Amino acid sequence: MKVLVIGGGAREHALCRSLSLDPAVTALHCAPGNAGIADVAELHQVDALDGKAVAALAAELGAGLVIVGPEAPLVAGVADAVREAGIPCFGPSKEAARLEGSKAFAKDVMAGAGVPTARSYVCTTPEEVDEALDAFGAPYVVKDDGLAAGKGVVVTDDVEQAREHALACGRVVIEEFLDGPEVSLFAVTDGKTVVPLRPAQDFKRALDGDEGPNTGGMGAYSPLPWADPKLVDEVQETVLQPTVDELSRRGTPFAGLLYAGLAITSRGVRVIEFNARFGDPETQVVLARLRTPLAGLLLAAASGNLADLPPLRWSDDAAVTVVIASHNYPGTPRTGDPIEGLADVASQDAPDAYVLHAGTKHDGDAVVSAGGRVLSVTATGADLAQARERAYTAVARIRLDGSQHRTDIAEKAADEA
């Protein structure tokens, strides 16, 4: 099978790495990719938001499967264009991707499906914003209704900061604060059958101790030793399957990757948000533990045959990923800085630790930074403590001027395991 992956971040590098290890994959392509993905896939230039251009590239390459990584192309309908060209595509339709593209739509679907979530108001005027903030009180949770690349959510005790964010967004969802730890659970679905993957936890704040501004994610780990062993079954029964069934009932079946961001509250599991694609950086640790070949799983979802697939196989190992970010991230990042030490990790730490590229590009023979989150250093081990040690040993080999990373990814979970 020839596979084309759309996107160029660490999530796509994780996908391409797993696909490159799949014996069923005879040729692997990625558009646009990055400097790291170039080591495992042939790169191509394409406008990822142009469905016709993506479909034409897939046809030209003879791709038997297209995997759309980021949310923006999915919300733009790229998966629809690929399917219309007769090529299997892993990724929901434009209509179904509204589950991520509009927080208000997602709340409406959850209400129809009876899925437990935070109480919320959709606000479009300053008066509605003030009423909602007053109704819930601090901490205030304000979410941009549309896509915001992981930066559209503000959680604050400062009512003026909450109001300022709400008014800057236009249409917002303001909701009650959910207490308790957060969990990310991915599920592969063909619109009927739902196959959950293993849960992970990510770290959204920029600084150690969950301080600093929200980011796209500074690290992740899996498994979750503190989580109830029945958690996945419970979420499958109360969240994932009802949501897929509700979207099917509405005539907009969701086939692709359904990502549930969950809060384990004192009153039970609640959905914080849905995403319509693999999450970054959780994908890095979840795929590090998956033993079932990836291409067959995603093709089964794209072609409606998930029910025929045998149960997924998983490694008992733990996985940890640590994000190395540019100077000033999540503000406007500095780019163009050379990255050194990548060969050292490859020669001294592989296969237990490896580097997945996010914002990188080639500048002559050098690899330089090209985004806010630059690298995801990922490691596996017999337990979280060993995986952490291996990840941070590899992080220490990387040299990127002005870079930053958290030093406490999975620390608490490893101590408690």
Side-chain angles (χ1 to χ4, degrees):
M1 186 187 346
K2 295 178 181 177
V3 181
L4 170 62
V5 177
I6 301 300
R11 161 187 49 222
E12 287 76 33
H13 194 177
L15 288 164
C16 285
R17 180 183 181 274
S18 291
L19 291 163
S20 73
L21 300 173
D22 186 338
V25 177
T26 53
L28 182 57
H29 303 271
C30 187
N34 60 40
I37 295 174
D39 292 337
V40 294
E42 185 180 337
L43 303 191
H44 305 269
Q45 284 304 311
V46 75
D47 179 355
L49 298 177
D50 184 338
K52 287 185 177 176
V54 171
L57 174 62
E60 180 189 328
L61 297 172
L65 175 65
V66 175
I67 300 164
V68 181
E71 59 272 24
L74 291 168
V75 172
V78 167
D80 302 87
V82 174
R83 278 190 282 268
E84 281 164 16
I87 302 167
C89 185
F90 182 80
S93 67
K94 178 178 181 176
E95 279 297 303
R98 289 177 65 206
L99 203 61
E100 176 167 4
S102 167
K103 303 285 191 299
F105 176 75
K107 287 288 187 183
D108 187 57
V109 170
M110 284 188 262
V115 167
T117 187
R119 292 180 300 120
S120 63
Y121 296 104
V122 179
C123 306
T124 55
T125 68
E127 294 75 21
E128 289 174 344
V129 166
D130 289 340
E131 283 178 25
L133 293 173
D134 188 51
F136 287 130
Y140 304 100
V141 182
V142 183
K143 299 181 176 182
D144 192 331
D145 180 55
L147 293 181
K151 301 188 190 79
V153 179
V154 165
V155 181
T156 179
D157 289 322
D158 183 337
V159 68
E160 285 308 315
Q161 185 186 357
R163 189 172 192 273
E164 184 181 345
H165 180 64
L167 297 181
C169 294
R171 180 178 161 102
V172 294
V173 173
I174 296 175
E175 63 183 39
E176 67 175 325
F177 177 77
L178 295 174
D179 63 332
E182 294 185 14
V183 173
S184 300
L185 184 61
F186 304 156
V188 174
T189 176
D190 58 7
K192 302 184 293 290
T193 302
V194 179
V195 178
L197 306 185
R198 292 292 164 88
Q201 186 174 59
D202 76 332
F203 294 76
K204 283 281 188 281
R205 298 285 185 171
L207 306 176
D208 285 4
D210 291 328
E211 300 288 333
N214 259 350
T215 71
M218 295 299 290
Y221 69 93
S222 178
L224 313 181
W226 49 267
D228 187 327
K230 299 184 186 130
L231 175 66
V232 173
D233 290 341
E234 179 189 344
V235 175
Q236 165 92 337
E237 188 179 318
T238 63
V239 174
L240 300 172
Q241 193 69 55
T243 299
V244 168
D245 291 346
E246 173 69 10
L247 285 164
S248 179
R249 186 186 68 77
R250 291 174 178 226
T252 54
F254 187 107
L257 195 290
L258 178 59
Y259 164 157
L262 309 164
I264 314 301
T265 76
S266 53
R267 292 167 294 141
V269 173
R270 298 287 185 274
V271 175
I272 300 168
E273 64 176 358
F274 283 125
N275 292 322
R277 38 72 196 179
F278 280 102
D280 183 344
E282 302 97 320
T283 301
Q284 289 86 302
V285 292
V286 173
L287 292 187
R289 302 183 60 219
L290 180 66
R291 289 292 166 264
T292 297
L294 184 61
L297 170 63
L298 303 190
L299 181 62
S303 32
N305 300 317
L306 261 187
D308 302 331
L309 211 66
L312 299 184
R313 293 182 289 111
W314 295 92
S315 165
D316 291 331
D317 282 355
V320 171
T321 193
V322 180
V323 170
I324 297 177
S326 292
H327 173 73
N328 199 44
Y329 178 78
T332 304
R334 192 174 79 202
T335 58
D337 289 313
I339 303 165
E340 298 175 338
L342 297 171
D344 297 337
V345 175
S347 64
Q348 298 181 57
D349 301 303
D352 299 320
Y354 48 89
V355 180
L356 298 169
H357 292 231
T360 68
K361 67 177 183 179
H362 278 114
D363 183 3
D365 292 335
V367 175
V368 301
S369 60
R373 291 186 293 175
V374 181
L375 304 168
S376 284
V377 180
T378 305
T380 56
D383 53 26
L384 284 175
Q386 186 179 49
R388 278 193 88 242
E389 181 186 354
R390 288 172 170 173
Y392 280 107
T393 296
V395 166
R397 302 193 202 279
I398 305 292
R399 295 176 298 284
L400 171 62
D401 187 49
S403 69
Q404 53 176 315
H405 66 270
R406 283 185 56 161
T407 66
D408 62 347
I409 302 300
E411 184 175 40
K412 187 178 172 191
D415 289 344
E416 293 174 357

